[in-house]
Amino acid sequence: MLLTVLLYSVLVLVFIQVIYLFAFSSIGFSKNKVQAGSRKLPVSVVIYVKNKAFLLEEHIPIFLEQNYPNFELVLVNHASSDHSLEVIEGLMERYPNIKLVNVENKERFWANKKYALTLAVKASSHDCILYTELDSLPMTNQWIQSTVDQFVGDKSIVMAPIQYTAKNPFLRYIDAIHQLQSFSFANLGNPFRASKANFAFSKDEFFRVKGYISHLDIPVGITTLFLKDAGNKKNTAVALNHDNFVCAKQKVTWATFWDRQLREAQLFQYYNFKNKFLLSVFNLSKLALYLTLPIGLFVNWQMYGGILLSYYLLYYLSCSKSLIKLKEQKLLYILPILDLYYAIHLMLLFLASKFIRPKTWI
């Protein structure tokens, strides 16, 4: 009796995981349905700056190399204590399409990043707003154009990918899983999470939901909670062409990685019920699968080994194209090891989130 329950439990868990894997496959098989270069909307590229003087001189010229006829670079200096303001003012003398939004701390909005970005959106000259970060650089000079191309029909929000440069494959795999979840859910009509390093929207959409007013004092979810308020199946586009990528250049250590994971874990409580349910089923079934499989392998290693191999084969068949599209093809070489690590990561993250509260914004 117990062996039968074990067998059916493992089969059900594998089946649940395979459903999600085939959902993730939508990324690999998605086609670009817009005509490249078809639109020339004026764009305001918004970059938040907080004590990043050491990056400004090196990275800002790269953003200004975009092959696009009408865009401004809005630099939001948020009470920097280094010489970021002086560097920006020097850059403005050399580049006329740089606009400065200098934000001082106020008691009501002390160190509030959403407040600073709200001022930047209001100060921007153009209706099309493109968020990125100072250490996330466009991979081609067609980045703005490829984003603007997505603003067709009812589309007023664009989610786009990030290529992470961390050498550690375990860290990159976690980020890849998050991007697979974000983009596949959006492709299926359920946008729920986006990165502020590569995210575009119209001013009209921003003001329609009154910006960040519903979550202004929540120190996480700059783009994700905005997407919760404003995004839907009709108005949100996913842009996954090569030109849409930005490359994250920041140095990633285990400490900074876990800080970001804890901040993202904080977001979970603010998701709607449907997304909490979908993510919980994925994570819990993954964890339960790797907890029950060792028992099965001990009881009958031939049968449960065959089930495990079948699961990995389906994983490769369903998600290979998606991981390649996210420029993470090297992860395929050790995919089974990475998938096992993900289950361990879930346990560690759950425990860490109960005792540690990150203080930085995401």
Side-chain angles (χ1 to χ4, degrees), residues 112-136:
N112 191 313
K113 192 171 180 178
K114 291 176 183 176
Y115 168 70
L117 288 171
T118 298
L119 297 182
V121 172
K122 289 181 177 180
S124 299
S125 303
H126 306 310
D127 182 62
C128 184
I129 308 295
L130 176 52
Y131 276 178
T132 190
E133 295 186 316
L134 192 56
D135 48 12
S136 296

Side-chain angles (χ1 to χ4, degrees), residues 14-39:
V14 169
F15 179 72
I16 292 171
Q17 282 294 300
V18 169
I19 291 174
Y20 280 91
L21 295 179
F22 278 98
F24 296 164
S25 71
S26 66
I27 297 172
F29 292 97
S30 62
K31 303 285 186 180
N32 182 29
K33 299 178 181 179
V34 299
Q35 182 180 353
S38 58
R39 296 177 68 78

